[in-house]
Each structure stands twice: as C-alpha cells, then as structure tokens.
Amino acid sequence: MKEKEKEVFRILEKDARTKPEQIAGMTGLPLAQVEKTIKKAEQERVILKYKTLINWEKLGEETVWALIEVRVSPQRDVGFDAVAERIYRFPQVRSMYLVSGTYDLSVVVTGKTMQEVAGFVAQKLAPLESIQGTVTHFLLKRYKEDGEILEGEEQTRRQPLIL
Amino acid sequence: MFVHPSSKSGVSRKRTSERVNRISPSGIRKFFDLISSMDGVISLGVGEPDFVTPWHIREAAIYSLEKGYTMYTSNLGLPELRQELSHYLTRRYQVTYKPDSELLVTTGVSEGLDLALRAIVDPGDEVIIPDPCYVAYSPCIVLAGGVPVPVSTTSDDGFCLQAGAVEAKITGRTRAILLGYPANPTGAVMPREELARLADVARDHDLLVISDEIYDRLVYGVEHTCVASLPGMKERTVLLSGFSKAYAMTGWRVGYAAAPQPILAAMTKIHQYTMLCSPIMAQKAALEALRAGEADVSAMLYDYNQRRQLMVKGFNNIGLTCFEPKGAFYAFPSIRSTGMTSEVFAETLLTEEKVAVVPGSVFGKSGEGHIRCCYATSTKDIEEALNKIARFVSHRRE
C-alpha cells in the first residue's frame, strides 16, 4: 500500500495539476483513497506546497540569482544549525543546504539587481558572527531547472501511424 | 534498335515477381495519407515509445563516432555485444547461448524474422501464426515461400494461442509456430502454463518455434516466459528480440537472434549476403543499453503502467469493453457494441474527432471488432482522446 501512495506523490511531483480522478485512473486506487492520501500528506507536510515552474526570462522579467558559498565555524551543541537558521530566515534566501567540502553552507539568494544581492551579502550575511567568509557566484544562464530543460527540449518526432 | 519482345505485341511485361504480387499492400496506406494531411490529430496509432533514447545511450554512440567506429563489424555483430547478450539472457531467463555460434546481431527483429523464416521454410511449408498478430508475420512467411496458417484467438482466451487449436491445424507440411508474446496488437502475455502446453505440441510434432519477444521487458505485474527457457525448447526455438521497445531505440535498427548453431549458421549465411551487419554505432549504443540501461527500462515501465491503467479504465467506462493487456503498450478494446466495422470506426473517428487508432482487422480476421490504441502517449493526449472517443461513441448510440 505504501508503494501505491508513493506513486500518488510521484505523479503529483511531476504535475501538481493532475486531478485525483486522473491519479485514481493511473494508479488503480479508488478515488476516495487518493483524496484521503493527498489530504493526509498535506496535513503532515509530506506535500509541502504546489508550485509552478515559470520561465520568467521569457517574459523579460530579470531576477538576479546568486549561489553563495559560506564558511562557518560550527558552535558547541548546535553545530551549524543555529547560524543556518539566522540565515535561512531572510526571505532573500531561496534555498539553502549544508554541504561537504571546502565550504559549509550553500545559499541560493535572489534579488532585483546585483547591487541588492551584493548588499544583502555585505550587510546581512557576511557580518554574522561565526561566519568566516563568503564567495558569491552570480548566475549567468539557466540551462535546466528542477529536471526541466529550459530551451531546446526534445520532442518526439514520431510518424503518425506505425504498425 | 533493340525491341523488347513483349513490347512488340503492345502487352507490357509484368515487372514484379509473383511472390511479391501475392502479398497484399498494407491496407493502412490510405489511412496514413489521410492522417498526414490533417492538423491537430491525436494519434494512438503509433507503435513505438514516446520517449527519446536515454541520453547515456546516445552519448555512447556519439563517443563511438568520435573515436572513429564507422566500419563494418563482424557479420555476427560486435563480439563484446554478443558476449553481453549471452550474459544478459543467462541472467534474465537462465538460458545460455554461445556468443560465437548461437547469437547474431540483426537490424531489429524485422530482419531477424525474415532471416529465420528464410532459413527454415521450404516452398509450401506451413507456419502457424496467432490471429490477430503483428502485420509483418504473414507477408514474411509468404516471401519465404511458405504458407501462413492463422489460428484464431479471442479475448475469451486472453488472445493466447491455444494448444488444442494449434494441434488441429497441424498437417504434414507444418514446419513452425511463429509466436509474438507479449503481443502487438492485443497486449496479451502468454502465461507459463499455456506456453508449456504449446511447447508440448511443438515437441510432439517436431516443430520449430520462432518467438518474437521484442516486448519481453514491457510486462505489468506478470512474468514474461522466454520460450527457449522451457525444458527441451532451446534446441527447437529461434528467439528474436532487440532494443527498440525496452530502451526506446526504434530508429537505431538493432536487435538479435538466438538459435541453435545450425539454424543460426543458416540465418547468418543470408544475413552476410543481404545485410552484412547492423550499423556499428547502433551496436555500440546497444552495448551501453545492456550494460547500464536497467534503470531506464524500469522508469519507462513505471510510466507506461500508469497510462495503461488510465486507458483501459477509460475504455471500459465508455462502454468499449477492454481486455486487460498485461504487456507491450497497446490496448485492444472491442468496438462491436457500436455496430461498426473496425475500419469504418477508425476512419469515421479520424474525420469526426481527429483521433487516430488502428483498425483491428489490419492484424488479421480475428482482429475485426477491435481497435488498437497505443498508450505510449502523454496522459494529456490519452485523456483528450478518450473524451473524444466517448463523445463519438455516444453520438453513435443515440
């Protein structure tokens, strides 16, 4: 049963607009059970939210994205978590990860202009206690987002009738 | 001036052979032209995956081109590919073929089928085929000089060839049984017990079995049984399969034949004079598919299964009774309740609703009363097509 429930989430992850009726058809589960599974997952925050992937660049809307490497000295008892929380609570932070390697936190920050992002790093992020240093990489071009290739996605070019 | 003898009399000499003239042209041509002339058609009439070949497989072929692999290979195919195929068949079906004498890389099952038939059929020999079945079986038998003997199957027997019905058609001229399971167009999968009964018939009457298992990896919730893996069958079976359906590699034209040495040698003789070898880049791609393509097969299967359930349920809801296909990527619903022939149904549906399906009659007499619908199509298109078919059918019933 667990596997079937996961199938419901996989379908929704691919397309959040798939209707419960369709999911029931695709999984062979009764409609009521699909609805119950989704509702429960929403309540338990297994489903965090339903979002839409938009290619804003196509609309001429330019958002500046930056990937910031942050080196942090871990603190007694709380490790990286306390400083991480100080950082991720800023709304400018879109995503954030603790990573292995030459730095500790990988922070994705967005802003309207480079100055805005730079200002955030200089005034909010870098001065935080226990931060040893930051390296800011501005994003120049987006090729693939969340598994979707933004331009030149392949199409199947099948003959209309093949026996 | 040279005058051709027949043109003297004004009667133009026939330019094509009797053998070819005996094959009826594909009844679907006219239909194909009609679809091609229309815009916005949703086609459930295709017979191939809607996935592009996985990138790592394409990348392996590109790399091989960069490295200069542009020559012929051994007639039998790349040794490393045959070695890998041998391991694969042992792993999957516990049947072992020698890479240097029992395996041949072909340009798809299409070539393998032609080779197998030409290698074993003498003029007038009969070959038993299930009806309905893939469109090429009958013409290929005729081209090889043989006589196709269709044995009817229906949804009542799960479109599985019944041992008793086969036995009733056996004559002194019967040479082989040609099987194609999981089946195009029905999606039927032959359960092991039923296959074992057919194997008994083959052994009792000393018949060969040509088994087209191109859809072997596309089964849902059931196991595919490889004919050659049944006791005593390897020595009388020509196993045909390939990469087209499981790895979404239809355009590469690469498959394989596995058979006992004398038969494989006979097939290789024809292959070396007519095809030489499968394209080397396709063979390189096939090697990558075998070595690292399992995850891709599973992922595609997972998607097909969702669409399969969606389509079968959809047809049953519309009232077009649909046998549950356990393999391949086709649904084969009955359209008898509409009172139309499958050909009229398909043509009217196309012109009125712009949905293309394949009339079941194309696949044999017993296919009449059904349409073949491919669910290797996006869920969006499947749903839209089902809505249109529902509207079409309800108009007919008013």
Side-chain angles (χ1 to χ4, degrees):
Chain A
M1 211 69 264
K2 269 272 169 283
E3 200 38 56
K4 276 280 168 198
E5 284 179 6
K6 282 185 197 159
E7 193 170 357
V8 173
F9 305 141
R10 286 198 189 99
I11 292 169
L12 281 174
E13 192 176 35
K14 216 186 255 181
D15 181 0
R17 303 226 305 172
T18 318
K19 296 188 201 74
E21 294 79 17
Q22 295 170 294
I23 298 174
M26 291 160 79
T27 56
L29 286 171
L31 176 60
Q33 195 182 336
V34 172
E35 286 170 335
K36 209 179 108 195
T37 303
I38 294 173
K39 185 156 232 166
K40 188 160 159 257
E42 287 169 352
Q43 283 162 356
E44 291 176 352
R45 284 183 47 84
V46 168
I47 293 176
L48 292 175
K49 71 169 176 179
Y50 300 93
K51 61 176 273 184
T52 311
L53 199 60
I54 292 171
N55 189 348
W56 286 106
E57 276 144 56
K58 252 194 166 161
L59 301 172
E61 194 80 6
E62 287 193 11
T63 302
V64 174
W65 288 68
L67 314 176
I68 301 165
E69 300 173 359
V70 184
R71 284 191 299 117
V72 185
S73 342
Q75 292 162 301
R76 180 177 273 276
D77 297 332
V78 290
F80 294 100
D81 294 349
V83 67
E85 186 177 354
R86 290 286 294 277
I87 298 172
Y88 66 61
R89 286 198 177 279
F90 285 108
Q92 290 93 331
V93 175
R94 292 288 289 253
S95 310
M96 189 167 132
Y97 314 95
L98 177 65
V99 298
S100 64
T102 54
Y103 60 98
D104 306 299
L105 296 172
S106 171
V107 184
V108 180
V109 172
T110 58
K112 283 196 182 63
T113 60
M114 276 172 78
Q115 282 77 8
E116 194 183 304
V117 173
F120 171 76
V121 174
Q123 288 152 32
K124 304 291 182 195
L125 193 56
L128 282 177
E129 220 179 308
S130 75
I131 294 216
Q132 296 170 351
T134 64
V135 179
T136 303
H137 305 271
F138 283 103
L139 192 148
L140 302 181
K141 185 170 178 181
R142 193 180 302 269
Y143 293 103
K144 192 176 184 181
E145 185 81 41
D146 257 0
E148 296 297 317
I149 295 171
L150 272 77
E151 269 167 57
E153 179 60 303
E154 290 153 334
Q155 290 172 352
T156 39
R157 299 171 193 82
R158 295 190 291 181
Q159 299 286 312
L161 204 65
I162 306 154
L163 299 174
Chain B
M1 195 179 84
F2 175 73
V3 179
H4 195 277
S6 64
S7 60
K8 234 188 212 166
S9 61
V11 180
S12 77
R13 190 172 154 215
K14 216 164 64 332
R15 301 289 188 194
T16 56
S17 72
E18 247 338 289
R19 203 180 327 107
V20 169
N21 294 346
R22 274 214 304 277
I23 305 173
S24 45
S26 164
I28 215 79
R29 188 71 234 174
K30 175 179 70 161
F31 200 52
F32 184 90
D33 293 340
L34 186 60
I35 297 173
S36 307
S37 70
M38 291 167 71
D39 276 336
V41 173
I42 299 178
S43 183
L44 305 180
V46 289
E48 66 178 326
D50 64 335
F51 296 104
V52 177
T53 308
W55 175 247
H56 69 100
I57 297 174
R58 286 186 275 162
E59 202 272 338
I62 294 167
Y63 179 71
S64 79
L65 284 174
E66 282 174 349
K67 286 284 154 193
Y69 286 99
T70 59
M71 316 298 183
Y72 296 131
T73 69
S74 141
N75 290 135
L76 291 172
L78 290 170
E80 59 269 38
L81 177 56
R82 281 179 279 131
Q83 186 64 63
E84 200 67 49
L85 276 169
S86 174
H87 290 326
Y88 170 81
L89 290 171
T90 307
R91 206 163 58 225
R92 180 148 276 280
Y93 299 119
Q94 295 77 51
V95 53
T96 303
Y97 288 96
K98 293 192 193 82
D100 52 355
S101 60
E102 296 179 323
L103 277 164
L104 170 67
V105 179
T106 61
T107 50
V109 169
S110 295
E111 190 210 357
L113 176 66
D114 181 41
L115 295 178
L117 287 164
R118 284 201 276 167
I120 65 172
V121 169
D122 275 322
D125 279 353
E126 295 171 0
V127 178
I128 289 173
I129 53 173
D131 178 3
C133 69
Y134 178 52
V135 290
Y137 293 173
S138 186
C140 284
I141 294 168
V142 172
L143 282 176
V147 180
V149 179
V151 172
S152 177
T153 65
T154 67
S155 57
D156 294 336
D157 45 44
F159 291 109
C160 287
L161 196 57
Q162 300 297 297
V166 168
E167 205 151 27
K169 295 272 188 160
I170 292 174
T171 71
R173 294 308 307 264
T174 309
R175 186 85 180 96
I177 306 171
L178 169 49
L179 295 175
Y181 293 94
N184 173 7
T186 61
V189 176
M190 195 77 133
R192 193 181 179 88
E193 325 71 81
E194 294 207 37
L195 202 58
R197 281 197 283 277
L198 268 183
D200 288 341
V201 172
R203 275 191 306 264
D204 289 350
H205 297 269
D206 193 22
L207 304 178
L208 294 171
V209 172
I210 301 174
S211 188
D212 166 5
E213 301 184 18
I214 187 67
Y215 291 101
D216 70 334
R217 302 305 307 280
L218 306 186
V219 289
Y220 312 96
V222 292
E223 288 272 320
H224 167 75
T225 307
C226 173
V227 178
S229 72
L230 293 172
M233 286 308 287
K234 190 190 158 201
E235 63 245 43
R236 58 176 69 251
T237 300
V238 179
L239 169 63
L240 304 173
S241 195
F243 301 85
S244 296
K245 315 291 179 175
Y247 301 94
M249 291 176 66
T250 49
W252 298 80
R253 307 319 300 134
V254 57
Y256 59 91
Q261 189 272 332
I263 298 178
L264 197 95
M267 290 169 67
T268 307
K269 234 196 278 183
I270 308 170
H271 173 78
Q272 73 187 1
Y273 293 128
T274 54
M275 189 61 72
L276 274 130
C277 66
S278 173
I280 187 167
M281 46 294 254
Q283 294 192 53
K284 287 281 183 187
L287 190 57
E288 171 68 16
L290 278 184
R291 284 179 176 163
E294 266 317 298
D296 305 297
V297 177
S298 310
M300 289 189 266
L301 201 60
Y302 195 81
D303 272 24
Y304 291 145
N305 192 28
Q306 291 176 353
R307 305 174 198 181
R308 176 183 78 100
Q309 298 184 87
L310 192 66
M311 186 178 268
V312 172
K313 192 175 173 196
F315 277 120
N316 283 320
N317 286 346
I318 294 169
L320 299 180
T321 321
C322 190
F323 154 81
E324 194 194 342
K326 295 277 175 65
F329 37 51
Y330 308 105
F332 201 58
S334 164
I335 49 107
R336 286 206 187 88
S337 60
T338 63
M340 288 186 256
T341 64
S342 59
E343 208 167 310
V344 171
F345 184 98
E347 248 186 85
T348 330
L349 179 66
L350 178 63
T351 44
E352 286 185 15
E353 297 286 355
K354 292 192 171 185
V355 174
V357 300
V358 184
S361 55
V362 168
F363 304 96
K365 277 203 188 74
S366 302
E368 183 50 83
H370 295 267
I371 50 171
R372 191 196 74 177
C373 301
C374 176
Y375 52 80
T377 308
S378 70
T379 40
K380 184 176 144 283
D381 276 2
I382 291 175
E383 296 206 306
E384 205 175 328
L386 284 168
N387 287 338
K388 290 173 167 215
I389 295 171
R391 182 166 65 194
F392 175 78
V393 170
S394 73
H395 285 334
R396 286 298 169 297
R397 288 191 178 135
E398 271 163 17

